[in-house]
Amino acid sequence: MSGSDDKWEQILRVAARLFAQRGYHGTGMTELGDAAGLQRGALYYYIRSKENLLYEISSRHVAEMVDFGERLAKEERPATDKLLRLSERLIRTIHDDLDEVTVFFREIGALTGERRQRVFELRDRFEEVWMSILQQGVSEGTFRRADPLLIKAVLGMHNYSYLWLRPDGKMQPEEVARYFCELLFRGILTETGDAEYRSFTANS
Amino acid sequence: MSGSDDKWEQILRVAARLFAQRGYHGTGMTELGDAAGLQRGALYYYIRSKENLLYEISSRHVAEMVDFGERLAKEERPATDKLLRLSERLIRTIHDDLDEVTVFFREIGALTGERRQRVFELRDRFEEVWMSILQQGVSEGTFRRADPLLIKAVLGMHNYSYLWLRPDGKMQPEEVARYFCELLFRGILTETGDAEYRSFTANS
C-alpha cells in the first residue's frame, strides 16, 4: 500500500468515527481536517467532496458483503449451512466496522444522484442473496418459507445489532450469529408450547 | 380538548413530520413556526424548548406501549397469547405513529439530562415487559428460552419495520405481527431441515 493509500484509509476511519458520533451533517470540514491532520486543500485532494467520503464509508463494507454473499450463494452447500455463513459474515462485519455500519444505517439518506443509486442497488443485491438462499432451502425441502417479510424479519434481527453489539463485548460475533440462526431455524416453542399455540390459533 | 391542547397536538404532529424528514438538528425554529402557523414567541409559549418538543415526540408512544405492556404482563393469559398481543401493539404503534417512532429511533441520542434519562428508562421498562413474558413462557414449559440476546433478536425483528412498513402498505400491522410471532415460535425448518441441521451442527 502506498503512502497516499495509507492516508486515504486513515481519513476514512477518522471520518467514519466522527460521522457515527456527530452525524454527517453535524461534522464540519474543519473538524475532519483537524482530526486527520490535514489542511483544507490537502483534505479535498484526498476526498474530492464530503459526499464522496460518505459514499466510500457507506458502500465499502456492503460491497464486500454482497461479493461474499453472491459467491456463497453459488456454492454447493445446503441452505442451512449457507444461511449460517451469511449470518456470521454479517454480524462479524457489524462488529468489526461498527462506525461504518452506523453511518450506513443512519446517513445513506443524505446521499444523492448516482452515489445514492449505487448504495441502494448494493442493499437490494444483499437482500437478493438472502432470498436466493431461503428459496434454495424451500426447493430442498428444508425451509418452510421464503418471502419478502421473512427477509425483513431476518435482516431486522441482524441489523439491529449495530445498536447494542460492542467491540469489547463478551460474545463473539459468530456466537451471536449461531444464536440468531438457531432461533430462526427452530423458534422458541417447546412441544407443549406448540400444542398450546395450535389450539389457541385454531380458536381465534 | 381545549383549543390550547389542539394547538399543542398540531405542533407535535408537524414537528414529528419535520424531524423525521430532515432530522432534529436539521430542522430550525423558523421552519417549525412556519409549518405550525405560529410566530416565534407563540411557538416558544407552547413548546418551551426544542428539546422539550423532541422529548414529547419521542416519549409519548413509548410510554403508552410500556403502560399497555405492564398491564398485559400482569393478566392471566398464556405467554404465547401475551407475546402475540404485545407484538401486535408494537407493530400497530410503529405503523400508526411512523414519524414519532422514526424520531425516537434516530434522535433520542440528542436528548440530554433528565429527559434523556426518562426516555432510556421507558425503553428499559419495555424490554423488561418482553423479558417477563418470555420468562413466564419458560416457567409454563411453553418457551425454550428467555435471555437478553432473545430480547434483542425479537425487538430487532419488530423495530426494523419502521424502515419498511408503510401506512398505505397492503398488509395490516396485525398480519405482520402474526407472521413475526409464527416465525419466532416455530422457526423455518421443516422436519427434513431439522434433521439435516442436527447432523450438520453435530459435525462442526
Side-chain angles (χ1 to χ4, degrees):
Chain A
M1 191 183 273
S2 73
S4 171
D5 283 346
D6 278 350
K7 195 70 200 172
W8 175 225
E9 292 300 321
Q10 188 213 331
I11 295 169
L12 285 178
R13 274 197 308 277
V14 161
R17 176 70 46 91
L18 285 174
F19 290 173
Q21 282 171 354
R22 305 174 194 196
Y24 172 65
H25 290 298
T27 306
M29 290 299 285
T30 312
E31 273 174 296
L32 273 174
D34 288 350
L38 288 171
Q39 302 287 331
R40 202 177 183 81
L43 181 62
Y44 274 110
Y45 165 78
Y46 284 108
I47 71 170
R48 286 178 287 158
S49 71
K50 194 175 153 193
E51 190 178 320
N52 189 52
L53 194 55
L54 176 60
Y55 171 72
E56 290 289 336
I57 290 169
S58 309
S59 64
R60 190 190 282 191
H61 64 273
V62 191
E64 284 169 7
M65 279 193 297
V66 168
D67 187 51
F68 173 87
E70 289 180 347
R71 279 185 288 113
L72 175 70
K74 290 191 195 107
E75 289 180 22
E76 292 283 334
R77 294 174 184 281
T80 44
D81 186 5
K82 287 185 183 178
L83 206 126
L84 184 56
R85 281 166 198 261
L86 191 59
S87 169
E88 284 176 351
R89 174 68 179 222
L90 177 51
I91 302 287
R92 170 54 71 186
T93 297
I94 294 171
H95 178 273
D96 289 356
D97 301 334
L98 196 55
D99 288 330
E100 288 77 4
V101 170
T102 300
V103 173
F104 172 82
F105 283 123
R106 287 215 196 114
E107 309 284 2
I108 52 167
L111 290 171
T112 60
E114 208 184 314
R115 289 196 190 91
R116 182 188 183 89
Q117 206 182 320
R118 283 204 298 265
V119 170
F120 281 90
E121 273 168 15
L122 283 170
R123 194 190 58 178
D124 291 348
R125 278 168 61 191
F126 193 56
E127 294 203 6
E128 281 159 23
V129 167
W130 286 91
M131 183 57 102
S132 78
I133 292 173
L134 288 164
Q135 282 169 338
Q136 179 191 327
V138 171
S139 303
E140 288 171 357
T142 51
F143 294 167
R144 283 200 265 152
R145 54 177 83 193
D147 55 70
L149 206 48
L150 179 55
I151 304 290
K152 297 301 185 196
V154 174
L155 285 177
M157 190 191 286
H158 284 79
N159 288 343
Y160 191 68
S161 70
Y162 93 89
L163 288 170
W164 56 265
L165 200 61
R166 288 294 155 259
D168 52 359
K170 282 172 308 208
M171 291 193 90
Q172 286 299 302
E174 288 72 18
E175 290 176 72
V176 174
R178 280 183 176 256
Y179 185 102
F180 283 176
C181 288
E182 177 74 28
L183 178 62
L184 181 66
F185 287 163
R186 293 183 169 157
I188 61 169
L189 290 185
T190 59
E191 279 183 42
T192 311
D194 194 55
E196 179 190 274
Y197 184 58
R198 263 178 225 278
S199 69
F200 165 68
T201 46
N203 298 330
S204 71
Chain B
M1 191 183 274
S2 73
S4 172
D5 282 349
D6 278 351
K7 195 71 201 173
W8 175 225
E9 293 300 320
Q10 188 213 328
I11 295 168
L12 285 179
R13 276 197 307 276
V14 161
R17 175 70 46 92
L18 286 174
F19 290 174
Q21 281 171 355
R22 305 174 195 196
Y24 172 65
H25 290 298
T27 307
M29 289 300 284
T30 312
E31 272 174 298
L32 272 174
D34 288 348
L38 287 171
Q39 302 287 331
R40 203 177 184 79
L43 181 62
Y44 273 110
Y45 165 79
Y46 284 108
I47 72 169
R48 285 178 288 159
S49 70
K50 193 175 153 195
E51 189 179 321
N52 189 52
L53 194 55
L54 176 61
Y55 170 72
E56 290 289 336
I57 290 169
S58 310
S59 64
R60 191 190 280 192
H61 65 272
V62 190
E64 284 169 6
M65 279 193 297
V66 167
D67 187 51
F68 173 86
E70 290 180 347
R71 280 185 288 112
L72 175 70
K74 289 189 194 108
E75 289 179 22
E76 291 284 333
R77 295 173 183 282
T80 45
D81 186 5
K82 288 184 183 179
L83 207 126
L84 184 56
R85 281 165 198 262
L86 192 59
S87 169
E88 286 176 350
R89 174 70 180 220
L90 178 50
I91 302 287
R92 169 55 70 184
T93 297
I94 294 171
H95 177 273
D96 290 355
D97 302 334
L98 196 56
D99 287 331
E100 288 76 5
V101 170
T102 300
V103 172
F104 172 83
F105 283 123
R106 286 216 196 114
E107 308 286 1
I108 53 167
L111 290 171
T112 61
E114 209 184 311
R115 289 196 191 92
R116 182 188 183 89
Q117 207 182 320
R118 283 204 298 265
V119 170
F120 281 89
E121 272 167 17
L122 283 170
R123 194 191 58 179
D124 291 347
R125 278 168 61 192
F126 193 57
E127 294 203 7
E128 281 159 23
V129 167
W130 286 92
M131 183 57 102
S132 78
I133 292 174
L134 288 164
Q135 282 169 339
Q136 180 191 327
V138 171
S139 303
E140 288 171 357
T142 51
F143 293 167
R144 281 199 267 152
R145 56 177 83 194
D147 55 68
L149 205 48
L150 179 54
I151 304 290
K152 297 300 186 197
V154 174
L155 286 177
M157 189 191 288
H158 284 78
N159 289 342
Y160 191 69
S161 70
Y162 93 90
L163 288 169
W164 56 265
L165 199 61
R166 288 295 155 258
D168 52 359
K170 282 173 307 206
M171 291 193 90
Q172 286 300 302
E174 288 72 18
E175 289 176 73
V176 174
R178 280 185 176 256
Y179 185 102
F180 283 176
C181 288
E182 177 75 27
L183 178 63
L184 182 65
F185 287 163
R186 292 184 171 154
I188 60 170
L189 289 186
T190 59
E191 279 183 44
T192 310
D194 195 56
E196 179 189 275
Y197 184 58
R198 264 178 224 277
S199 70
F200 165 68
T201 45
N203 298 331
S204 67

